[in-house]
Structure formats: structure tokens, C-alpha cells
Amino acid sequence: HASSLPGVLTVLSGMSDMQQVEDNIQTLARFRPLSEVENAVVARAASAYRASGAIPCTACRYCMDCPAGVDIPRVFSAYNTLRIKENKMRFRIDYRSLDESEHAHNCVECGACLEHCPQSIDIPAMMRVVRQAAADL
């Protein structure tokens, strides 16, 4: 569980109804820190994820609505399929399932999204990366 990681003082969990509150309470009521083996697995998974070149978007949608109409989280999700699974066909399908008006090439780099991203992703720069990947399809 994230609350057992070094330096974690608070765990935030979005909740929109009482069932989610109760579920979160139950989850932490059974809390036990990660073992050394589990910590090592988490570290290896994080390292592999970072090495993949994936965009660390959690799809929180705080960056939305984009003034240019780009569906930022879905664009990043499609791209991450390419980077993590190295699956060009799935990227092509996922990306083309978006309305053309939601594609990365519509980003005007206004930066309106930047102040809202809790992951501090340089969204306009990543849109350029996705735009190039989509052009290579």
C-alpha cells in the first residue's frame, strides 16, 4: 500500500459517495506495510515504467476541458499503449477511436492545462511527441 512507502505522510483518495468512503476506511483498517520483497517488486515496476517512455498521466482529468478540444487523458492513454506494450496496432485503434477534434495535433500549446496537472507533466511538449507518433502510423 502506498501509505507504507518512505516519505508518504498522507494518502489522498477521491471519493464521490458513501460506499467509496467505507471502502477506503476498510482498506486502511487492514493496513500492513509492504515487505522488503514487495518493496523490491514496486521499485522494479516503477523503474520499468519510467524506462518505457510512458507519460505518467493518471487520467485525473484536472487538465480538462482543453480550450482546443484535445482529450488529453485519452490521447496519453493511447500513446502509453504504444510505449508500454509496444503495440502499434492498439495505439492506432485507440487513437483513431477518438474524434479527430480530440487528437494531439489540435493542441495549440496555450498551456491552460499546465497549472492543473498534479503530475507536473509538460502537456504541450508531450502532445508534440504524441503528434509525431501518430504521424508515423
Side-chain angles (χ1 to χ4, degrees), residues 8 18-19 29-30 32 42 45 52 59 72 76 78 100-102:
V8 174
M18 187 52 80
Q19 173 59 38
R30 297 184 306 269
R32 69 169 181 74
V42 169
S52 74
I72 299 165
F76 287 170
E100 190 279 331
S101 66
E102 299 172 319

Side-chain angles (χ1 to χ4, degrees), residues 2 33 38 40-41 45 48 55 62 68 73 85-86 102 108 115 123 125 129 135:
E38 291 166 327
V41 169
I55 300 167
Y62 293 163
K85 298 181 180 176
E86 298 179 0
E102 299 172 319
V108 295
E115 66 185 87
I123 295 169
V129 169

Side-chain angles (χ1 to χ4, degrees), residues 55-119:
I55 300 167
C57 175
T58 62
C60 68
R61 300 192 67 81
Y62 293 163
C63 57
M64 297 298 288
D65 287 330
C66 168
V70 177
D71 191 328
I72 299 165
R74 288 185 61 206
V75 165
F76 287 170
S77 176
Y79 179 76
N80 283 348
T81 298
L82 175 66
R83 298 304 304 175
I84 295 168
K85 298 181 180 176
E86 298 179 0
N87 189 331
K88 287 184 180 183
M89 179 64 75
R90 184 80 248 167
F91 171 56
R92 184 179 299 119
I93 291 168
D94 290 352
Y95 194 73
R96 290 182 179 164
S97 74
L98 293 165
D99 189 83
E100 190 279 331
S101 66
E102 299 172 319
H103 286 188
H105 70 265
N106 293 303
C107 177
V108 295
E109 301 191 27
C110 68
C113 51
L114 292 172
E115 66 185 87
H116 303 290
C117 180
Q119 308 307 321

Side-chain angles (χ1 to χ4, degrees), residues 35-53:
S35 70
E36 277 188 44
V37 170
E38 291 166 327
N39 274 320
V41 169
V42 169
R44 283 194 308 275
S47 179
Y49 181 80
R50 283 190 295 275
S52 74

